[in-house]
C-alpha cells in the first residue's frame, strides 16, 4: 500500500508530519514524500525544509493520497501539473485525503464537487466557493475522500484512516506509541472556545492575506 | 530569542515538528534546526528527512534548547560531542526542553540530576535510572527545564512554553491557528486507557529493543 504525501513550497509541516507518524506505523504502508521535484521543500515559516524523496511523476498512482495545507496552497490553485497529478492519482486511489487547506487544492482539481468536506476554520467559506459542501467538523469522510480541519486535525484524520485501512487495533497502537493523549494547557483550539479578540484578529489577518493574493492574481 | 531544535539520525519527526509549529509562531522567536552537521537528517521511519540548517557548533548558546526523542537516542547516550554541546548550551539557556526520549539525552548530559522530569510512558524507569525523578505527567516544569511525555506531548509542552515566553494570548493564538482542538477517534493514547493487550505488546517490543541495544553496547 503506497501512501503519497504531497509537498509544495510553503506547506505547513505539521499538516504532513502528523498523519505521516500515524500512517507510517500501519503494517504494509509505504509512505513516500513527493513534490514537483525530489529534494528539500521549504515550509511556510522558512525555518524548516522537509525532503521529498520522489517527484510526482515517479508516483502517479498511489493507493492513498495525502495533501497538506499551508499558505503555499494559494499559489497552486491553477497549477496544472499539480492539479493534473491529483486528478490522475485520484482516478485510481483507494483513499484521497487532505489536511487544512489541502482540501482547497482537491477542490481546485474538481475532486470535491458536491462532496462534504472540511478545511481550516478560517477558510470554510472559501472551500464552499470552490464547489464543496463545506462542513465544520474535525474529520469528514465522504466516500473515499477524507478531509481534516486545520493543521493538527491531520492526526485525528490519520487515526480514522488507519482504522479503515488496517483495523482499530492498528490505529490504537499508533495512538499509544505516539502517546496521543492530548492535554492542551488552554481551550483555545477552536473559534467556538478561543477568546473572541483572538478569533477576530486571525479573521482580519486572513482577510488581508486573501485580499493580497487576489490583487496578485488580478 | 534563538530556539535550537536538535536533530539526530533516527529522531521522531513529530517530536520536533509539533513544538516547532507552536514556537515558530511566537513573535521574536527564531527557530533553527541544528544537527552534528548541517543537511538532511533521516527520521526513525527512514521515510522522511528534515533539513538541519546549521551545525551544532554554529549555535552554541541558544536561548531555548529543544531536543526530540526517537530510537536514535539510544546510540547517543555516550556521544560526547552532543552531550558537551547540551551542557554548554544549558549553561546559558533560558529554557532547556525535551520531548519523549529526548529527556534521556538531557539526563545523559547530567542535566536532570535530582530534577523532576518525564519521557515516553515506556521509558519512565529508564529515565529514573539515569538520575532524574521520573514522573508520569504530560508536561513537567522544573525550574528552567521542561520535559514532555511521548511524541505528541511536545505540542502541549510548546504551548506551555509559549505562554511562559510571550504570554497566554500568544500561546492561545498559536493553538487557534493550528486548530489544536483534539478529538482522537479512540481513547488509546495512554497506557491507562488503551486496551491491555496493546499496552502489553508495546512493552514487550520495547523490552526487546532495549535488550538488543544493551547487547550492542556490551
Amino acid at each position: 500500500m503506497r501512501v503519497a504525501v504531497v509537498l509544495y513550497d510553503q506547506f505547513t509541516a505539521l499538516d504532513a508530519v502528523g498523519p505521516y507518524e500515524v500512517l507510517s506505523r500501519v503494517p504494509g504502508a509505504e509512505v513516500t514524500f513527493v513534490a514537483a521535484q525530489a529534494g528539500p521543500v521549504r515550509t511556510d515559516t522558512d525555518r524548516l525544509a522537509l525532503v521529498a524523496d520522489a517527484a510526482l511523476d515517479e508516483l502517479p498512482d498511489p493507493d492513498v493520497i495525502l495533501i497538506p495545507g499551508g499558505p503555499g496552497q494559494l499559489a497552486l490553485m491553477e497549477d496544472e501539473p499539480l492539479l493534473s497529478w491529483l486528478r490522475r492519482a485520484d482516478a485510481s486511489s483507494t483513499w484521497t485525503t487532505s489536511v487544512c487547506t489541502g482540501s482547497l487544492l482537491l477542490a481546485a482539481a474538481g475532486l470535491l464537487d458536491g462532496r462534504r468536506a472540511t478545511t481550516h476554520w478560517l477558510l470554510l467559506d472559501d472551500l464552499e466557493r470552490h464547489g464543496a459542501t463545506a462542513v465544520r467538523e474535525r474529520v469528514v469522510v465522504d466516500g473515499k475522500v477524507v478531509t481534516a480541519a486545520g493543521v493538527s486535525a491531520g492526526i485525528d484524520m490519520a487515526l480514522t484512516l488507519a482504522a479503515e485501512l488496517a483495523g482499530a487495533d492498528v490505529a490504537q497502537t499508533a495512538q499509544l506509541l505516539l502517546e496521543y493523549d492530548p492535554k492542551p494547557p488552554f481551550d483555545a483550539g477552536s473559534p467556538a472556545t478561543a477568546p473572541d479578540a483572538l478569533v477576530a484578529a486571525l479573521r482580519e489577518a486572513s482577510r488581508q492575506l486573501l485580499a493580497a493574493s487576489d490583487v496578485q492574481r488580478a
Side-chain angles (χ1 to χ4, degrees), chain A:
Chain A
M1 180 173 50
R2 290 156 311 144
V3 180
V5 181
V6 181
L7 304 184
Y8 52 85
D9 192 49
Q10 295 201 56
F11 74 104
T12 299
L14 185 54
D15 290 31
V17 169
Y20 140 85
E21 288 290 5
V22 174
L23 298 177
S24 62
R25 284 166 175 84
V26 171
E30 187 182 310
V31 178
T32 305
F33 286 77
V34 296
Q37 288 89 35
V41 182
R42 299 302 288 184
T43 68
D44 53 356
T45 64
D46 200 39
R47 307 307 304 187
L48 173 64
L50 269 63
V51 178
D53 278 344
L56 287 169
D57 290 348
E58 295 176 71
L59 192 53
D61 55 355
D63 300 291
V64 178
I65 305 165
L66 189 149
I67 187 155
Q73 157 263 324
L74 281 168
L76 294 172
M77 293 295 281
E78 296 173 10
D79 185 83
E80 252 331 295
L82 175 63
L83 302 183
S84 296
W85 183 90
L86 286 171
R87 280 184 213 108
R88 177 172 166 186
D90 176 72
S92 59
S93 73
T94 312
W95 296 96
T96 295
T97 75
S98 67
V99 179
C100 197
T101 56
S103 58
L104 285 158
L105 292 168
L106 295 182
L111 303 178
L112 297 186
D113 290 347
R115 283 195 192 264
R116 296 175 75 250
T118 195
T119 188
H120 193 285
W121 62 271
L122 278 167
L123 279 303
L124 284 164
D125 291 348
D126 212 35
L127 182 61
E128 184 90 21
R129 270 195 298 277
H130 283 89
T133 301
V135 286
R136 187 186 293 265
E137 292 172 18
R138 189 131 176 105
V139 176
V140 175
V141 183
D142 184 336
K144 74 171 190 179
V145 178
V146 191
T147 53
V151 193
S152 61
I155 302 172
D156 296 330
M157 188 274 283
L159 289 169
T160 302
L161 184 59
E164 293 284 344
L165 291 169
D169 274 8
V170 165
Q172 291 181 95
T173 296
Q175 185 179 0
L176 184 55
L177 258 176
L178 302 176
E179 204 163 344
Y180 184 48
D181 178 32
K183 293 190 171 46
F186 303 100
D187 184 13
S190 151
T193 58
D196 289 344
L198 303 185
V199 175
L202 287 186
R203 281 198 195 282
E204 176 58 19
S206 171
R207 197 192 59 72
Q208 288 180 17
L209 188 71
L210 287 175
S213 152
D214 284 347
V215 169
Q216 271 186 343
R217 271 203 292 266

